[in-house]
Amino acid sequence: MRAMSEVAGSVGLLPSYAPLLLLLPLVGFAFTAAFGRRLGRLAHIAPLASIVLTWIAAMSVAIPALLGELGERGASMPLFTWIASGDLAFGLGLHVDALSGALLIVVTTVGALVHLYSVGYMSHDPGYWRFFAYLNLFMFSMLLLVLADNLLVVFAAWELVGLSSYLLIGFWYTKREPGLASKKAFITNRVGDVGFALGLMGLVAVFGTLDIATILDGIVAGGLVGPAATVIALLVFCGAVGKSAQFPLHVWLPDAMEGPTPVSALIHAATMVNAGVYLVARMSPLFAASHEAMLIVAAIGIFTAIFAASIAFTQTDIKRVLAFSTLSQLGYMFAALGVGAWVPAIFHLMTHGFFKGLLFLGSGSVIHAVDGEQEMPKMGGLAKKIPITYATMLIGTVAIAGLPPLAGFWSKDEILGEAFKFGFTWVWFIGMIVAAMTAFYMFRLVGLTFWGSSRVDAKVHVHESPWTMTLPLVLLAIPSIGIGALLGLPFANGILVHGLEPVFAGANALLGHEHEAWNLFGIDGALMLASVAVASIGTAIGVRLFRSDHGELLRTWTARLKPLYVGSRNRWFFDDLNDRLFVQFGGRVANAAWWFDRRVVDGAVNGVATATSSGGRGLRRIQTGRVQNYALGIALGLIVMTIFYLAVAG
């Protein structure tokens, strides 16, 4: 195995304060867990301060990484040997390159704003201190996952993220629905994690280490090919499917809406769900070594994209629309990874983190304004009553719709363009359909929530949220507008391409992909116009139907398309199928196994014990201590033996 010192010698060194990226949120968690109850409404101070300082430290290393100032291979800091056994040694070290830098920017920025937002949103919750402690633990777990230079540490952080999300989704544990949602998320993710763990075992068997740099260099050098590469890649991908909620392990994510809205923003926008995308991108040479694995990643991604978009069409809960939108956008990212468009996938991860964080926090502001109501048909006419929330959510909607010049346009166009140019026309075609669908259902959300006449209960006093909630919306609106152009221009030579291309050089070499010049008046320009056209069509239809009250028209179309409407409204009955196959049937199998274990296995063991005990008690009765009784027993034994001998001899 390559020692950590050797790895560090091949790249630059991180600044001495780099461990603060992990220590600050960990200390914030420990302090709040210990003293938060006593601090009461001041319990947010330590967690918020720790995350703001973490953000400052993260920017100081992430931006240089994106600009290529840390070298092509990034910078590392070995910390200590975690586990040593024989020839195997697993160290804990930090590594920052352009890829981890991109994640650092999104995770810490959205995380810090979620902390600030929660000060207002959770102000009256009795578990106020506990909520902020969980937020800090979650941030520590996610940062450890992004910064780790060893897959064993990645896996440990992976599980810590799962534990933290379980605590946050089920934060309101006294209610039935959050408890069920948290258990569903935890169990579903464990299914994917079994595959991930088996994949790591396969990598250890082949390379004798879990050091990421060593494994990737070995794969690029031809150390893993054929069926072994496919099997290991797909096993690792299982973990990504679970964490990033791709079909068929997507069922946990919509139910995670039962947690507080800041949790929804944190999980769905910038952190947990992006972990799977990050894992596949980080291990890009592993997937590039298997054509079959790449096809499966692309197919699952683009299917999830259109599947989730079709469900978002008919949902009426504002947070669930955004949840299925997240599933769809994550599908875009995996489709990009599957076609080898590594940089566009990370580009979309970044832009999506900002505008989806904005949309989720905006939905929380809407819910706060209408006294906890989440059903959009019971809203309407809110644009003038909560203008800041409306303006910022409209920005987020235009961004996710892929309309220029906002952030989503640049990254989505890159994904679709690369898919077409790499020969995956089926991914491009389905992606174009999804783009139109996304624009439609997002403007449906805006229309039902903000436009038309008010359907809010007359008893509800609609009011704008406090500044602790509206300020994060404004701050997230800024990158939702400009980060796409900032990172994407000048097109093929932008900041993100410049920083990330060296990270994916090995994977591109295996695929035979070469960097090409961007041509505005050629295929690139034509694909861009097509992308804008389909997004504009979806937008126009959505605005036309929901700009004002068109109840009769909507009812007519709903009646005409009733089978499709019913299927979409009921999530294509996949949740029902999942419940019957895995929950109900699985429950019956578990109960049968429990009965067999208790009655048969335990019964047999306990029966032997009972027979032995009963036999002992019976034999105890003949132990009288009287000589005559023993003599009688001997005589009877001799008689029996004689009779038996005579019978056998005769």
Side-chain angles (χ1 to χ4, degrees):
M1 170 183 170
R2 182 168 61 174
M4 293 185 67
S5 60
E6 296 176 6
V7 177
S10 67
V11 297
L13 290 175
L14 287 172
S16 58
Y17 57 81
L20 291 176
L21 292 168
L22 300 179
L23 288 175
L24 284 169
L26 185 60
V27 170
F29 160 71
F31 179 85
T32 309
F35 305 106
R37 189 186 295 272
R38 300 178 187 176
L39 293 172
R41 296 304 166 190
L42 298 177
H44 66 273
I45 294 177
L48 181 58
S50 70
I51 294 304
V52 171
L53 292 173
T54 302
W55 178 82
I56 295 172
M59 293 302 106
S60 70
V61 295
I63 293 175
L66 278 180
L67 296 176
E69 296 176 5
L70 300 183
E72 290 188 354
R73 303 200 66 169
S76 293
M77 176 179 288
L79 298 177
F80 56 85
T81 299
W82 180 27
I83 299 174
S85 178
D87 295 332
L88 286 176
F90 302 102
L92 176 59
L94 308 180
H95 181 75
V96 178
D97 57 10
L99 177 58
S100 50
L103 269 291
L104 279 178
I105 291 173
V106 178
V107 170
T108 57
T109 302
V110 177
L113 293 175
V114 165
H115 275 69
L116 177 60
Y117 182 93
S118 299
V119 174
Y121 192 88
M122 301 296 292
S123 60
H124 301 294
D125 195 283
Y128 189 72
W129 67 273
R130 183 165 51 87
F131 184 78
F132 280 95
Y134 292 167
L135 284 183
N136 265 209
L137 178 62
F138 189 97
M139 291 296 294
F140 163 76
S141 306
M142 192 65 198
L143 289 170
L144 179 61
L145 191 157
V146 171
L147 294 171
D149 64 353
N150 188 290
L151 283 173
L152 184 63
V153 181
V154 169
F155 187 77
W158 192 271
E159 297 305 313
L160 275 175
V161 169
L163 173 62
S164 306
S165 66
Y166 170 80
L167 295 173
L168 286 168
I169 295 170
F171 179 76
W172 290 319
Y173 60 88
T174 57
K175 300 178 181 178
R176 183 173 182 271
E177 288 76 13
L180 292 175
S182 62
K183 288 190 289 185
K184 189 175 185 179
F186 190 84
I187 294 171
T188 304
N189 274 275
R190 298 295 76 73
V191 174
D193 292 353
V194 170
F196 188 12
L198 292 173
L200 296 186
M201 295 177 190
L203 290 172
V204 170
V206 175
F207 296 102
T209 180
L210 287 177
D211 176 71
I212 295 175
T214 303
I215 291 173
L216 298 185
D217 289 345
I219 295 172
V220 174
L224 184 62
V225 296
T230 301
V231 171
I232 293 176
L234 292 178
L235 286 171
V236 172
F237 182 56
C238 285
V241 168
K243 199 69 78 183
S244 294
Q246 295 296 282
F247 183 90
L249 300 182
H250 67 282
V251 293
W252 69 268
L253 192 64
D255 289 352
M257 295 297 99
E258 297 296 339
T261 297
V263 173
S264 302
L266 198 62
I267 290 177
H268 291 69
T271 53
M272 181 174 172
V273 294
N274 288 337
V277 178
Y278 170 78
L279 178 65
V280 175
R282 174 60 70 196
M283 302 302 295
S284 55
L286 172 63
F287 290 87
S290 170
H291 177 70
E292 293 79 7
M294 294 284 287
L295 281 177
I296 291 173
V297 172
I300 288 179
I302 203 65
F303 177 79
T304 303
I306 195 167
F307 175 77
S310 69
I311 298 174
F313 259 54
T314 58
Q315 301 304 302
T316 55
D317 184 310
I318 188 171
K319 289 175 64 177
R320 288 193 181 273
V321 174
L322 295 177
F324 283 104
S325 170
T326 297
L327 289 177
S328 184
Q329 297 303 305
L330 287 167
Y332 256 113
M333 299 174 207
F334 278 105
L337 294 170
V339 305
W342 316 106
V343 175
I346 302 304
F347 190 8
H348 198 55
L349 182 152
M350 294 187 72
T351 60
H352 176 262
F354 292 115
F355 60 66
K356 184 53 63 69
L358 167 61
L359 289 167
F360 265 112
L361 295 184
S363 72
S365 183
V366 170
I367 295 167
H368 179 271
V370 294
D371 199 25
E373 181 60 64
Q374 294 186 194
E375 290 291 318
M376 295 184 296
K378 297 181 181 180
M379 299 178 185
L382 297 179
K384 294 182 179 180
K385 297 180 180 180
I386 47 174
I388 299 175
T389 301
Y390 168 61
T392 52
M393 283 200 71
L394 186 60
I395 290 171
T397 299
V398 175
I400 195 174
L403 295 172
L406 273 68
F409 158 73
W410 303 94
S411 55
K412 189 177 294 185
D413 176 72
E414 283 292 310
I415 291 174
L416 295 172
E418 293 292 276
F420 186 91
K421 290 190 291 184
F422 289 153
F424 291 85
T425 52
W426 56 278
V427 173
W428 171 81
F429 181 75
I430 298 173
M432 293 284 280
I433 296 173
V434 175
M437 295 169 70
T438 302
F440 172 80
Y441 68 67
M442 286 305 304
F443 276 95
R444 170 181 177 268
L445 181 150
V446 171
L448 290 175
T449 304
F450 296 101
W451 298 341
S453 57
S454 176
R455 299 176 298 277
V456 181
D457 192 320
K459 299 178 182 178
V460 176
H461 173 62
V462 180
H463 57 286
E464 185 64 272
S465 300
W467 72 270
T468 54
M469 293 174 64
T470 55
L471 179 59
L473 299 182
V474 174
L475 294 177
L476 283 171
I478 296 172
S480 296
I481 295 172
I483 196 171
L486 176 65
L487 298 177
L489 289 174
F491 297 107
N493 296 304
I495 294 173
L496 206 60
V497 173
H498 176 74
L500 286 175
E501 280 292 339
V503 177
F504 300 117
N508 285 331
L510 291 173
L511 294 174
H513 289 175
E514 296 181 359
H515 185 75
E516 297 181 2
W518 203 90
N519 185 3
L520 177 62
F521 301 101
I523 184 65
D524 296 289
L527 292 171
M528 176 185 288
L529 289 175
S531 174
V532 173
V534 296
S536 299
I537 291 171
T539 299
I541 297 173
V543 172
R544 172 70 177 85
L545 290 177
F546 299 99
R547 184 67 182 87
S548 56
D549 299 319
H550 293 285
E552 187 62 36
L553 180 61
L554 291 172
R555 283 191 290 272
T556 299
W557 278 103
T558 300
R560 290 179 180 178
L561 303 173
K562 188 174 181 178
L564 294 177
Y565 175 83
V566 172
S568 171
R569 189 77 176 86
N570 291 280
R571 311 181 192 182
W572 301 113
F573 304 98
F574 193 86
D575 282 57
D576 296 332
L577 180 64
N578 178 70
D579 182 71
R580 292 183 180 181
L581 282 180
F582 297 104
V583 179
Q584 297 182 20
F585 178 73
R588 293 190 185 99
V589 172
N591 286 332
W594 175 80
W595 180 90
F596 182 83
D597 180 69
R598 185 179 180 186
R599 300 293 185 183
V600 179
V601 179
D602 288 354
V605 174
N606 295 336
V608 172
T610 301
T612 303
S613 178
S614 300
R617 286 193 297 270
L619 292 173
R620 185 176 62 186
R621 294 176 182 176
I622 68 176
Q623 302 298 316
T624 62
R626 297 177 181 178
V627 177
Q628 57 268 37
N629 290 346
Y630 298 151
L632 177 62
I634 293 171
L636 291 173
L638 288 172
I639 293 171
V640 171
M641 291 175 65
T642 301
I643 295 172
F644 178 77
Y645 175 77
L646 292 173
V648 173

